Amino acid sequence: MGTKHTMALLGLLTLLVCELVTVVNSNRDEALRIMEKTPVIDGHNDLPWQLLSKFNNQLSKVNLSILSDTHTNIPKLREGKVGAQFWAAYVPCDTQGKDAVKRTLEQIDIVNRMCEGYPDDFLCVNSAAGIEDAFRSKKVASLIGVEGGHSIDSSLGALRTFYNLGVRYMTLTHSCNVPWVDNWLVDTGSDPAKSNGLSEFGKTVIFEMNRLGIMVDLAHVSVKTMKDALEASQAPVIFSHSSAYKLCKHARNVPDDVLEIVKAKKGLVMVNFYNNYVTCSNKANLSDVADHFDHIKSIAGIESVGFGGDYDGVPRVPEGLEDVSKYPDLVAELLRRGWTATELEKALANNLLRVFKEVEQTSMRLKSEKPRDEPIAYKEIQSDCHTSYGYPTGTAAHLYAGTGLLLMSVSYALFF
């Protein structure tokens, strides 16, 4: 090839590269413009767990403006145009039946202290209107999601107390069964089914969540539990950090038949960025994540897709989505794929706001209903870590079935 032809080819390649860079920059500029108006609401971030594991919740020893060994800090949130974040109040499954409630209270406390310690950046809110207020004030709306039904220790009273402390979603399980609901490992054969989805007490938990105004989160549950909860809930449900099973056949992801029910029930699947749930391997990239957005949109509709990065809760994230600052790059990729500004505004924030408002409306409708107060059967929670106060057990059970006079006599002897 002659020198002239070589120079011409190099010139053409340079022109093509320049045009490509221009398109990429244009998409990112448009993404930033859209997100300035409609910042992202992310469904799940485990920074509170990092604060526990690294600092034992001693926020006085942390500077969230310069924290460098996490996916999340304040400058990264600002750069990523994060307008609202559900912070996970997560405690591991080995706290179940032990100190799960206490440990969860501590994680709720750390979120509230983040807002108190950084009032110019975080605004703790507990309603859809609160999120919109935070958007207007250019602060990160901070909400609490309890990650795992083991955190309430099968107590409806604990559930109600968590609501009063600001909890606005609860993931029904983590990676363990609780006495009233099955987790995703049941579908792998690693855990035996206990409730065959959702038990009768589990349905009572769902009702009470609907009555209170706590979103039902189906990340981490078995497929049978997904379907049972979608049937039982009177309000739309969310998957706060799950992806599409069709693209990665991992049991943490959502199958197409469930996505179709989500569409019918007007729920929301917030796409998880963890490599193992994106490609079912250790490696993934931003484009692979965008594929999940495309697929969920194609099956469940644009009204049912959102963002649930799972940052600071996973060991690996995709190339191009290394931390929370990278959301605009993902939005730019979706623009490149033909998503409209209106569609992106729905996925970024408006879908979650719609679901949240419908959950709040359902709560208002159910306010005339009395709180459910029938406790779970003691045999379901019996252990050395659980007392039996209020339950008739052993000799007391026999006396409970006898005369009131005998029961009163025994009580008098025991306590006086």
Side-chain angles (χ1 to χ4, degrees):
M1 182 181 293
T3 302
K4 290 184 178 179
H5 287 93
T6 301
M7 294 299 293
L9 181 58
L10 288 174
L12 179 59
L13 288 173
T14 300
L15 180 61
L16 290 173
V17 168
C18 289
E19 289 180 352
L20 178 60
V21 169
T22 299
V23 170
V24 169
N25 289 340
S26 176
N27 285 337
R28 197 174 194 284
D29 289 344
E30 177 66 2
L32 290 171
R33 187 193 66 78
I34 292 169
M35 297 178 78
E36 188 64 31
K37 174 187 174 185
T38 309
V40 64
I41 301 175
D42 182 83
H44 194 88
N45 184 299
D46 279 293
L47 180 62
W49 172 252
Q50 296 296 331
L51 297 177
L52 171 59
S53 60
K54 294 178 183 293
F55 305 102
N56 202 13
N57 282 343
Q58 297 174 88
L59 198 56
S60 59
K61 296 184 177 181
V62 186
N63 185 336
L64 295 182
S65 295
I66 61 174
L67 187 64
S68 61
D69 59 346
T70 57
H71 297 140
T72 311
N73 63 26
I74 290 170
K76 290 174 184 176
L77 288 166
R78 294 300 195 183
E79 187 177 348
K81 302 295 181 182
V82 178
Q85 181 66 67
F86 280 87
W87 304 107
Y90 161 73
V91 296
C93 283
D94 62 5
T95 65
Q96 180 164 206
K98 300 174 186 175
D99 58 351
V101 176
K102 174 233 183 191
R103 286 294 199 171
T104 303
L105 287 170
E106 291 171 345
Q107 295 314 100
I108 292 170
D109 171 68
I110 198 68
V111 174
N112 286 321
R113 287 194 289 132
M114 284 166 55
C115 293
E116 292 168 2
Y118 298 86
D120 294 335
D121 301 293
F122 298 130
L123 179 65
C124 277
V125 303
N126 57 26
S127 66
I131 294 175
E132 293 170 329
D133 288 342
F135 281 3
R136 286 188 286 271
S137 65
K138 303 298 182 182
K139 297 181 181 181
V140 179
S142 294
L143 302 102
I144 302 168
V146 165
E147 189 180 14
H150 62 283
S151 284
I152 66 168
D153 202 12
S154 299
S155 166
L156 296 171
L159 176 69
R160 288 187 284 269
T161 300
F162 282 166
Y163 173 81
N164 290 331
L165 292 174
V167 171
R168 287 302 179 267
Y169 80 61
M170 182 172 74
T171 319
L172 297 187
T173 66
H174 192 254
S175 297
C176 53
N177 291 339
V178 296
W180 41 273
V181 64
D182 290 342
N183 83 105
W184 66 276
L185 288 168
V186 167
D187 293 333
T188 71
S190 299
D191 276 357
K194 176 174 175 56
S195 301
N196 189 31
L198 198 64
S199 73
E200 286 304 311
F201 184 79
K203 293 175 184 177
T204 299
V205 172
I206 296 288
F207 176 84
E208 198 65 2
M209 292 174 73
N210 288 166
R211 191 189 68 82
L212 291 165
I214 299 176
M215 285 181 279
V216 176
D217 178 22
L218 301 183
H220 285 279
V221 306
S222 69
V223 171
K224 180 63 164 55
T225 301
M226 295 177 192
K227 293 178 179 179
D228 285 355
L230 280 159
E231 177 65 26
S233 181
Q234 298 183 47
V237 307
I238 66 170
F239 292 77
S240 67
H241 55 304
S242 297
S243 295
Y245 184 83
K246 182 75 172 181
L247 301 185
C248 169
K249 291 178 171 53
H250 193 291
R252 270 284 282 106
N253 288 337
V254 189
D256 281 1
D257 61 336
V258 175
L259 288 176
E260 291 170 355
I261 303 172
V262 170
K263 180 178 182 178
K265 298 283 187 173
K266 299 181 179 179
L268 180 62
V269 178
M270 308 180 85
V271 176
N272 190 309
F273 297 174
Y274 181 34
N275 292 0
N276 293 49
Y277 305 160
V278 174
T279 61
C280 288
S281 71
N282 289 340
K283 293 185 178 181
N285 58 42
L286 180 150
S287 181
D288 296 321
V289 175
D291 290 342
H292 284 262
F293 277 83
D294 281 342
H295 184 79
I296 293 170
K297 175 187 168 186
S298 71
I299 303 297
I302 186 58
E303 305 286 342
S304 293
V305 61
F307 293 73
D310 207 1
Y311 282 117
D312 281 309
V314 295
R316 292 176 295 278
V317 289
E319 181 183 349
L321 290 171
E322 288 81 6
D323 56 53
V324 298
S325 71
K326 304 296 185 179
Y327 288 107
D329 295 325
L330 178 55
V331 173
E333 171 63 15
L334 295 174
L335 279 167
R336 188 189 69 79
R337 294 177 178 221
W339 286 48
T340 67
T342 299
E343 290 175 331
L344 286 166
E345 287 168 358
K346 289 181 177 181
L348 285 164
N350 293 342
N351 288 340
L352 187 282
L353 287 170
R354 172 188 58 79
V355 168
F356 201 173
K357 289 174 182 178
E358 289 187 34
V359 168
E360 292 171 334
Q361 291 164 6
T362 299
S363 174
M364 291 297 295
R365 179 170 56 82
L366 294 175
K367 282 301 182 188
S368 61
E369 297 277 351
K370 293 181 179 179
R372 299 293 169 89
D373 59 5
E374 183 176 353
I376 193 168
Y378 184 63
K379 66 179 181 179
E380 298 295 338
I381 59 170
Q382 187 172 3
S383 73
D384 291 341
C385 294
H386 288 94
T387 57
S388 60
Y389 298 123
Y391 289 99
T393 59
T395 303
H398 174 72
L399 296 176
Y400 189 86
T403 65
L405 180 61
L406 181 57
L407 185 59
M408 288 173 61
S409 299
V410 172
S411 297
Y412 184 87
L414 286 172
F415 293 102
F416 298 97

